[in-house]
Amino acid sequence: MKNLFSLFAKNQSLIYKVFLFIISTLLIIYLLPKGGQFKYNFQKGKPWQYENLYAPFNFTIKKNEDTIKKEREEIKANAIPYFEYNGEVEAGVLEQFNTMLEARYIDSLYKTPKQAVAKLAGNLIAEVYKNGLTDEIHTYDDNRLIYLKKGNEIEERNYSQLFKKENLNKKVRELVQKNNFEDVQVLLYNILNEVFESNVKLNSKLTEASIEAEIKTLNPNRGIIEKGGRIIAKGEVVEGDKFQILESLRAEFQSQIWSKNNYLWLLVGYSMLVSLVFLMLFLFLKNYRPYIYNNNTKVTFIFFNIFLMVFLTTLVLKVHSDYVYVVPICILPLILKAFFDPRVGLFVHVLTILLLGFIVPNSFEYMFLQFIAGIVTILTVSELYKRANLFISVGQITLIYILGYFAFFVIQEGNIQTLEWENFGYFILCGLATLFAHPLIYFYEKIFGLVSDVSLLELSDTNSKLLKELSNKAPGTFHHSLNVANLAEASANEIGANSMLVRVGALYHDIGKMLNPTMFTENQANSINSHNELDPKESAQIIIEHVIKGIEIARKNNLPDRIIDFIRTHHGTSLVYYFYKKEREQQGSANKEDFIYPGPIPFSKETAILMMADSVEAASKSLKDPSSSIIDEFVEKIINNQMAQGQFLNANITFKEIEMIKKVLKKKLNNIYHLRVEYPE
């Protein structure tokens, strides 16, 4: 049991990775569509690349979406509307008219008798309400058939048979002229206009129900293909009916062939493919990015982002497949590049697109566009802390999407007449969503403890609390750190390393000297050296401890691990040679272990650059009357000595890059110590 526990403790990092591998695979499989994959890949407008295809079974030809949509529109356009008839309104209108006529009719003003006016109005009201009066405005033609619902009975009418209140003036004028009652025309119109009330209204609910019922009866099929019938010949262009028949065969294949009996085999196939994708990711990290592979937090971060992209795409596809390009997939390589490097960003992006190929429709078109957009993201996004760069890159990504989609559409359709321009809006929305990268990076930094260029820019501010404290307590060390930062940044730019990271690392690499600043020569204001009163071994320990104390101060101030790495490695496992030599002179011998920094040695280009720049800058203070040749020889000696000690064995830095760094350091030191003209006093 004890051995088992010991084995578990020893391999807990590997066990965690296996667990992460299994969980990620299961989650991705859960999100993948649970249907078989049609074994033929085809695209509209392209030749059929396989042998002649014959129907493996009987199946129906499905109507395409456009045809079904058109038929639905025709049903809606030709649907017979239902109108509700209220028979109780007529009696109330007639009674109200007689009451108002009695009040307004004056015998001395009109020749037409009141009884004649009442009779005429009664006939008019009866005629109007026979088929119904409506005050609603509709776009129906006069000959449009309508259903008039009177209680439980339905009567057919033409829309023109309904009386429109807007025609009242014309109707009154015709009646009074026919009966020579012109003197009461205004009176009759005014009263009728006031008392007329609509008794026919459109029954929207019943009309919509009838339309829905008719739509449900639509046949989604338009024919049958018999088993053995030839569907398409080799080299034939996939378009029109051929394309729709192939789509129907694919749909039938997925619904008919794949059942519960072979569902297990489907899961086995998915498991193998998804596992291969994640296995490739692990192998890539192990062989080419061991610093990521050995950090479980960083590995978890990468897997989380892959799952997030697959989950968001699946979620959007459930709403509507047209919205698939709204998902900002390019945010994945952008974020990974911000935290790691472009190669990691592109590799993970490619693997994620391969997984999404199982989910999205028109997978070839989708994958092609996303591959190109991902490459553009990697090539264009640089110095993310500069806000303008992100906007420019997002604009370029959106343009690539639009151009790529337009090209595919032209290839498939052969024209632009049917181009749906609103689809370009999805790409613009995708670009806007990609701008969410900045707040997402901040969120990831807090959750996973990572550091991006944006955070590095904040840390490089010399007015920050920690650097202010360093400048106050150890001004000489602070000045030394600024000089080292300038040298290291220039060197990093020369070989293509992360210049922002190495600059920030240089600013903080000696913060451990704050606790005992006068023990370091750059902070001694006078010629008194505190080490003269100490044993060489004690002096060496004080010097060595500034690394350990620097790590403690960094952790207390929540500096990222990537910055702490510079503090740990800037002296590597080098020897405090001055005090080691002094000990040997005084005692005759010395234990080397007492005078060696604890390490580790640098394990990246950036940490190696800092070691070189720090050693050269610190030692350059001892140069007397430096000349160009002296400086060149001096730089060569220090860096060659570090190489001889094996300080750069773990850093992925080449001899060529070291030579380039030497040239930069020589040039910079020559500029610093250039000879001045002596001016007369």
Side-chain angles (χ1 to χ4, degrees):
M1 185 69 183
K2 186 178 180 181
N3 292 336
L4 184 65
F5 180 79
S6 176
L7 184 67
F8 178 82
K10 189 177 179 180
N11 297 287
Q12 60 178 342
S13 179
L14 180 61
I15 293 169
Y16 175 81
K17 289 181 178 67
V18 172
F19 174 76
L20 183 65
F21 179 89
I22 295 170
I23 290 296
S24 301
T25 302
L26 292 176
L27 287 174
I28 296 296
I29 292 172
Y30 176 77
L31 295 175
L32 294 178
K34 304 304 183 290
Q37 295 292 322
F38 192 50
K39 62 181 177 180
Y40 299 108
N41 290 317
F42 59 90
Q43 271 194 295
K44 190 175 182 181
K46 288 194 171 184
W48 180 255
Q49 299 175 347
Y50 308 95
E51 296 299 323
N52 295 356
L53 179 63
Y54 298 91
F57 44 75
N58 295 341
F59 67 94
T60 56
I61 305 172
K62 307 290 183 185
K63 295 175 183 175
N64 60 35
E65 282 296 324
D66 290 338
T67 302
I68 293 175
K69 186 178 179 181
K70 187 177 179 181
E71 289 181 358
R72 285 175 179 169
E73 293 300 325
E74 286 178 0
I75 288 174
K76 290 179 182 179
N78 299 323
I80 301 174
Y82 284 80
F83 284 85
E84 196 79 35
Y85 180 89
N86 188 350
E88 298 176 358
V89 174
E90 181 182 349
V93 169
L94 183 60
E95 182 182 349
Q96 195 175 358
F97 176 84
N98 290 328
T99 301
M100 294 182 70
L101 180 66
E102 191 70 35
R104 297 186 185 181
Y105 186 86
I106 301 172
D107 293 334
S108 59
L109 294 179
Y110 306 106
K111 293 186 295 181
T112 305
K114 186 196 313 181
Q115 292 79 6
V117 175
K119 184 178 179 181
L120 181 67
N123 292 335
L124 176 59
I125 291 170
E127 182 184 348
V128 167
Y129 283 102
K130 179 182 178 182
N131 291 319
L133 166 67
T134 181
D135 55 5
E136 296 175 341
I137 299 174
H138 301 284
T139 58
Y140 303 130
D141 296 333
D142 287 342
N143 296 326
R144 179 69 175 271
L145 183 67
I146 64 169
Y147 288 136
L148 199 62
K149 186 174 181 293
K150 295 183 176 181
N152 294 325
E153 296 182 359
I154 303 289
E155 297 180 4
E156 290 186 356
R157 294 279 190 279
N158 283 335
Y159 182 64
S160 60
Q161 290 178 272
L162 294 181
F163 188 83
K164 320 299 187 298
K165 195 172 181 180
E166 60 192 42
N167 297 329
L168 177 60
N169 190 25
K170 179 182 177 182
K171 187 69 176 177
V172 170
R173 187 168 60 251
E174 289 174 356
L175 283 175
V176 297
Q177 287 176 355
K178 182 179 179 182
N179 294 280
N180 295 320
F181 292 167
E182 283 88 349
D183 58 320
V184 294
Q185 178 178 337
V186 176
L187 175 67
L188 190 62
Y189 172 75
N190 288 338
I191 296 175
L192 286 172
N193 190 52
E194 289 184 38
V195 300
F196 263 164
E197 182 182 342
S198 173
N199 77 324
V200 173
K201 294 185 181 297
L202 178 68
N203 190 329
S204 301
K205 189 175 180 181
L206 193 57
T207 303
E208 289 295 328
S210 69
I211 291 172
E212 287 299 320
E214 197 168 348
I215 287 175
K216 285 180 181 178
T217 63
L218 271 177
N219 187 354
N221 307 316
R222 62 175 181 82
I224 297 176
I225 299 293
E226 297 288 341
K227 181 180 179 180
R230 194 175 78 174
I231 296 173
I232 192 168
K234 184 177 182 180
E236 204 173 340
V237 177
V238 180
E239 58 184 358
D241 282 348
K242 298 291 182 184
F243 176 75
Q244 197 55 41
I245 292 171
L246 287 169
E247 284 286 345
S248 302
L249 176 61
R250 174 156 57 187
E252 190 68 24
F253 176 86
Q254 292 175 350
S255 62
Q256 181 174 319
I257 298 298
W258 291 95
S259 60
K260 289 182 179 178
N261 296 331
N262 47 28
Y263 184 72
L264 180 62
W265 287 110
L266 174 69
L267 293 181
V268 170
Y270 272 151
S271 300
M272 292 173 67
L273 292 175
V274 175
S275 297
L276 278 175
V277 170
F278 286 138
L279 183 62
M280 292 305 104
L281 177 57
F282 271 121
L283 289 175
F284 170 80
L285 294 177
K286 189 172 189 294
N287 291 325
Y288 298 103
R289 296 295 182 273
Y291 74 94
I292 298 177
Y293 179 81
N294 294 325
N295 189 317
N296 285 339
T297 301
K298 292 176 180 177
V299 175
T300 305
F301 170 73
I302 293 173
F303 273 77
F304 172 78
N305 276 278
I306 293 174
F307 172 75
L308 181 63
M309 288 298 116
V310 177
F311 174 73
L312 286 177
T313 305
T314 308
L315 206 63
V316 168
L317 283 173
K318 286 183 179 179
V319 177
H320 202 289
S321 61
D322 288 348
Y323 302 152
V324 68
Y325 285 108
V326 176
V327 181
I329 299 296
C330 286
I331 211 169
L332 178 62
L334 196 153
I335 287 176
L336 292 177
K337 182 181 178 182
F339 286 116
F340 305 119
D341 61 75
R343 193 173 177 186
V344 172
L346 185 60
F347 192 85
V348 174
H349 177 71
V350 168
L351 293 182
T352 306
I353 299 305
L354 290 176
L355 291 175
L356 292 176
F358 293 117
I359 301 172
V360 298
N362 300 320
S363 57
F364 175 78
E365 175 185 320
Y366 177 85
M367 291 169 70
F368 183 90
L369 286 178
Q370 295 295 2
F371 282 148
I372 296 298
I375 292 170
V376 170
T377 303
I378 293 298
L379 294 177
T380 59
V381 177
S382 60
E383 297 179 325
L384 195 60
Y385 55 87
K386 295 180 180 178
R387 291 170 294 180
N389 287 358
L390 181 61
F391 284 96
I392 293 169
S393 182
V394 165
Q396 292 171 330
I397 294 166
T398 305
L399 180 62
I400 290 296
Y401 274 132
I402 291 173
L403 291 176
Y405 176 79
F406 180 80
F408 269 108
F409 186 88
V410 171
I411 291 171
Q412 293 169 2
E413 301 294 334
N415 60 72
I416 61 170
Q417 279 73 28
T418 56
L419 182 64
E420 296 179 359
W421 297 97
E422 63 268 19
N423 288 342
F424 294 136
Y426 300 146
F427 299 124
I428 294 171
L429 286 174
C430 177
L432 294 174
T434 307
L435 293 174
F436 189 67
H438 264 307
L440 196 59
I441 285 171
Y442 177 80
F443 172 78
Y444 281 148
E445 286 178 336
K446 300 304 176 187
I447 298 297
F448 291 94
L450 301 172
V451 59
S452 68
D453 284 352
V454 180
S455 294
L456 290 176
L457 182 65
E458 294 174 359
L459 290 170
S460 67
D461 183 9
T462 53
N463 287 317
S464 64
K465 181 184 175 183
L466 192 55
L467 291 181
K468 272 252 183 187
E469 188 179 354
L470 177 64
S471 66
N472 290 331
K473 291 183 177 179
T477 299
F478 178 71
H479 184 259
H480 159 72
S481 298
L482 287 176
N483 289 338
V484 173
N486 292 332
L487 293 173
E489 184 179 21
S491 301
N493 283 326
E494 184 69 20
I495 66 168
N498 190 333
S499 58
M500 178 61 72
L501 176 63
V502 77
R503 178 175 182 82
V504 175
L507 289 174
Y508 290 91
H509 79 283
D510 269 345
I511 54 174
K513 293 180 179 179
M514 282 194 298
L515 299 181
N516 208 349
T518 56
M519 301 304 291
F520 301 91
T521 55
E522 67 264 27
N523 299 309
Q524 293 169 358
N526 48 49
S527 59
I528 299 173
N529 190 339
S530 304
H531 288 285
N532 293 336
E533 300 175 2
L534 297 175
D535 181 78
K537 193 181 293 185
E538 290 177 341
S539 296
Q541 286 306 307
I542 292 171
I543 299 298
I544 290 170
E545 279 181 1
H546 87 271
V547 173
I548 298 160
K549 290 177 179 177
I551 295 171
E552 292 173 358
I553 293 170
R555 295 201 186 284
K556 186 178 178 182
N557 286 270
N558 298 316
L559 287 185
D561 287 338
R562 289 179 79 185
I563 305 305
I564 295 174
D565 287 341
F566 286 92
I567 301 173
R568 294 165 57 217
T569 61
H570 74 277
H571 285 295
T573 55
S574 60
L575 183 69
V576 186
Y577 186 73
Y578 176 82
F579 292 109
Y580 171 70
K581 185 180 178 183
K582 190 176 180 180
E583 174 77 1
R584 278 204 314 181
E585 289 174 354
Q586 290 181 0
Q587 304 297 331
S589 64
N591 184 4
K592 225 175 188 180
E593 297 298 322
D594 295 332
F595 297 88
I596 291 178
Y597 283 98
I601 60 176
F603 46 77
S604 67
K605 287 183 182 180
E606 288 77 15
T607 50
I609 289 169
L610 178 63
M611 173 179 273
M612 293 183 231
D614 179 47
S615 301
V616 167
E617 203 285 331
S620 68
K621 296 292 190 295
S622 63
L623 290 176
K624 296 177 181 179
D625 300 324
S627 64
S628 179
S629 58
I630 290 174
I631 290 173
D632 290 355
E633 185 181 343
F634 164 78
V635 171
E636 288 285 345
K637 181 181 177 182
I638 288 179
I639 296 179
N640 288 342
N641 187 43
Q642 290 174 335
M643 292 172 66
Q645 293 174 12
Q647 298 296 328
F648 306 135
L649 289 178
N650 290 345
N652 58 334
I653 192 166
T654 65
F655 286 118
K656 182 179 179 181
E657 288 169 335
I658 292 173
E659 290 301 319
M660 292 167 71
I661 292 168
K662 285 180 183 178
K663 287 181 182 179
V664 172
L665 294 175
K666 291 171 186 176
K667 182 180 177 182
K668 288 286 181 183
L669 288 177
N670 273 297
N671 290 338
I672 293 171
Y673 295 107
H674 68 281
L675 298 175
R676 295 179 179 274
V677 177
E678 291 190 15
Y679 293 98
E681 294 184 5

